[in-house]
Amino acid sequence: MATDISRTDLVDLSIGEIQLDHPNWIKELILTSMKEAPLGYVDSQGMKSLRSAYASYLFKAGNSINEEQILITSGAKEALWMAFLISLQPKDTILLPKPGWSPYYMWAQALGAVIRTYDPRDKNVADVIINEISSYQPSVLVVNFPNNPTGAEISQMELNRIVDSAQDYQVKVISDEVYRVFASTKESAATILGRINSSQSQNLIHVDSMTKMLGLGGLRIGFFVSDESTIEKIRNFRASYASCVSSLAQCASASILEDERLINHIQALVRVTKQNLKSTVDQLLKHQYPVESSGAVYVWAKYQDSEAKAAPSKHIIINGRHVKAALGSIFGAPEYFRLCPVRPQYLLNSILF
């Protein structure tokens, strides 16, 4: 049963955000670093300290990127928007995931692009994408694994095959990797970072952020990684409308990325996320909601038959509590809904038990 009635006991799991409390060491680092931050304009490419800290973070994971290949943005959303702006011309073809994040479609339409789609859930998704590339030769391919909203993943080998095909046809690849730390295995934490320094790196863009990785959306820090010539182009364009990203947020982010406790914290965050996903899946199945997949920070499920025949609601009911979900229609799949259960345990307990 679904309802649109507004209730004071509504549990909101519709927003794709990690809403867990942060450890004291992160809060203290933010306060300390902000006190020492410069209060004037800083480098429009991003402060060197933060670019260096992110490069070091990537290096520890086996990816060699230098600070000149990194540009700091106001969250991943700005990084992705700029990637679209520099990559698309009117009537260019762009290949997008469906189900997929709705801003991809808004931006492509605003820029006059022709949209083709692929299903990130397809078991042979690499073959599907490669066939689309060879058949239609799009100007731009967007990959987002783990996928929002479905949590679908891809192996590094499959992603490499896709990039090889894209480079054969000179297709620009924009890889939205904001959920990569939540991949179920190391092999499925696929990235294009290892290809950024290749001979055709001008056609590769990697995007990441502090928002999904650490639940620090309020800092509004994103990372745009590409070859140095693309970074310079983006830097000059960005400076025309935004002098720099907040120096306070950049200093705070650099301090967090450099801290030796970071990796253990991310691992703990991933464990809690996976536990919450499993508990939510179990309850949805108990209440006869067909769960198709879970991954990244999301559960992707279908409405019950009676709900699907009517207009799908933003609210579902679990254990008598009204739970707000993100409508699947936002992602191009109206028969589905998405939940993000990365919330405090007391809140989840109110609907899970």
Side-chain angles (χ1 to χ4, degrees), residues 191-218:
T191 179
I192 65 166
L193 284 166
R195 307 292 289 270
I196 293 290
N197 290 314
S198 69
S199 60
Q200 297 188 48
S201 60
Q202 288 184 340
N203 282 332
L204 300 176
I205 296 172
H206 157 92
V207 173
D208 197 359
S209 80
M210 298 288 284
T211 302
K212 305 304 181 186
M213 176 170 60
L214 288 166
L216 294 171

Side-chain angles (χ1 to χ4, degrees), residues 229-283:
S229 63
T230 298
I231 293 297
E232 183 64 19
K233 181 178 179 180
I234 284 289
R235 173 182 182 169
N236 292 335
F237 171 73
R238 191 181 190 283
S240 70
Y241 71 88
S243 299
C244 59
V245 174
S246 165
S247 59
L248 281 71
Q250 290 193 66
C251 285
S253 298
S255 295
I256 293 168
L257 288 175
E258 291 170 344
D259 196 279
E260 61 183 10
R261 292 166 287 191
L262 174 66
I263 300 303
N264 285 339
H265 174 60
I266 291 176
Q267 291 172 346
L269 187 60
V270 170
R271 284 195 297 271
V272 171
T273 298
K274 290 181 178 180
Q275 291 168 2
N276 288 7
L277 290 178
K278 183 180 184 304
S279 298
T280 304
V281 167
D282 290 344
Q283 286 299 314

